[in-house]
Amino acid sequence: MLQTLSNKINSWFFETNRAERIWLMAKIEFKLKFYENKLGLAWAIIKPVSQIIMYYVVFQILMNQRVPNYVIYLFAGLMLWMFFTEVTSGTVKILKTKKYLYEYTNMAKLEIYLASIISSVIGFILNFIIFIIGAAISGIYPTYHYFYFIFIFINLFILSFGVSLILSNLFLLFKDIEPIWGIVVGFGFFLSPILYRGDLFSAKLPILDYLNPIAGIINNARNILMFEQPPNWDMLLYDTGYAIILFLIGIYILNKYSDRASEYL
């Protein structure tokens, strides 16, 4: 079965020019995000840094949470959350905004999603490099535990991809899904352990660790990146299973409605 799956993936990506085309589109989309701004690529850095300063002043200085290395603690949570929201919010209307690609070319819709998400991965890598530099300045150096972060990011990638597929196809049926998702994201931000200590958050609202897959991802990421600990494997397996189920639902909905996307739009 694994061999069959491997052959299909290899065939889909590499026996055609799909991989090259997706990568080219991802690079173009990433550049377009900053093309019209005078500060250009600098905004990829300015945005997370400005948010960190704002939250640091409010939650560490004014509310005195007494979290050691709070800036790095905050950065670890924010960069994961920003990737998730950028991917999911940015693809809600992708079947409408990129309609010309699947109507007038031979591109598969899945390629369009992948290109958009990979452009966000480029931004995430930039943020991750800044995180490593900032952590080193604070006295937190990379260890072999960073290897585990690959599993965390794969988990986040699948989750973001699955939610994107679901939201963008629901948009075909319910145009209100975009503002509704904006409200959900707003609640999700404060119901995730981004600004607060993960252990206190889990103690007060333990059920959210299971209802909100981002919570487990953030807690595991901090264990790896800041505390030289392996991930909580049970939580990682749970979150990955959660993400795979959402991804499969997204693929099902895409297959169900993709052929008639133009009619709905």
Side-chain angles (χ1 to χ4, degrees):
M1 183 178 177
L2 287 176
Q3 184 62 41
T4 304
L5 181 62
S6 173
N7 290 338
K8 284 186 177 179
I9 292 173
N10 185 57
S11 171
W12 201 84
F13 273 107
F14 302 111
E15 291 182 6
T16 64
N17 62 346
R18 282 197 182 98
E20 183 182 356
R21 187 165 57 195
I22 291 169
W23 174 239
L24 182 62
M25 283 182 58
K27 286 195 298 182
I28 292 172
E29 186 160 333
F30 180 75
K31 289 177 182 176
L32 286 175
K33 287 178 185 174
F34 308 102
Y35 180 74
E36 294 181 350
N37 303 316
K38 288 186 177 179
L39 293 178
L41 190 60
W43 279 110
I45 300 170
I46 293 172
K47 185 179 177 182
V49 170
S50 62
Q51 286 189 318
I52 288 169
I53 293 172
M54 177 176 65
Y55 294 132
Y56 179 82
V57 170
V58 174
F59 290 94
Q60 184 72 344
I61 296 178
L62 297 181
M63 297 179 67
N64 193 19
Q65 288 208 85
R66 296 181 181 177
V67 177
N69 292 311
Y70 185 67
V71 170
I72 303 304
Y73 187 88
L74 193 54
F75 200 165
L78 270 179
M79 68 177 177
L80 296 165
W81 176 258
M82 287 171 62
F83 176 81
F84 176 73
T85 54
E86 182 180 320
V87 169
T88 55
S89 300
T91 54
V92 171
K93 296 197 292 187
I94 195 169
L95 291 174
K96 181 178 181 179
T97 57
K98 301 291 175 67
K99 186 179 176 181
Y100 62 95
L101 284 175
Y102 58 85
E103 279 195 337
Y104 302 111
T105 70
N106 62 344
M107 284 192 70
K109 292 184 179 66
L110 215 53
E111 294 178 49
I112 300 170
Y113 283 94
L114 274 172
S116 178
I117 297 173
I118 290 172
S119 75
S120 297
V121 172
I122 298 172
F124 180 85
I125 291 171
L126 285 175
N127 284 334
F128 190 64
I129 292 171
I130 297 168
F131 171 84
I132 292 175
I133 295 171
I137 292 171
S138 301
I140 303 169
Y141 301 100
T143 67
Y144 73 89
H145 290 92
Y146 273 46
F147 171 76
Y148 296 123
F149 188 72
I150 295 171
F151 300 108
I152 302 296
F153 187 73
I154 290 172
N155 183 175
L156 179 64
F157 185 93
I158 296 171
L159 175 70
S160 305
F161 201 165
V163 174
S164 294
L165 289 169
I166 294 170
L167 290 175
S168 58
N169 283 279
L170 287 178
F171 179 78
L172 298 176
L173 306 174
F174 310 104
K175 298 298 182 288
D176 290 337
I177 200 68
E178 186 179 26
I180 290 173
W181 183 243
I183 294 171
V184 172
V185 166
F187 276 108
F189 179 77
F190 289 100
L191 293 176
S192 301
I194 300 169
L195 304 172
Y196 319 104
R197 284 173 50 187
D199 56 340
L200 293 179
F201 199 89
S202 298
K204 295 282 185 184
L205 296 167
I207 193 170
L208 283 180
D209 283 353
Y210 296 93
L211 291 178
N212 177 3
I214 292 291
I217 290 174
I218 290 174
N219 286 333
N220 268 331
R222 283 182 177 139
N223 285 343
I224 293 165
L225 300 176
M226 295 188 65
F227 306 122
E228 299 185 17
Q229 295 176 5
N232 179 327
W233 292 107
D234 289 341
M235 186 55 71
L236 177 58
L237 286 174
Y238 176 84
D239 288 336
T240 303
Y242 201 138
I244 289 173
I245 290 171
L246 290 177
F247 179 74
L248 292 176
I249 292 172
I251 290 290
Y252 171 78
I253 297 175
L254 178 68
N255 289 332
K256 186 176 177 64
Y257 294 107
S258 64
D259 291 340
R260 299 177 62 189
S262 300
E263 296 176 28
Y264 291 114
L265 293 169

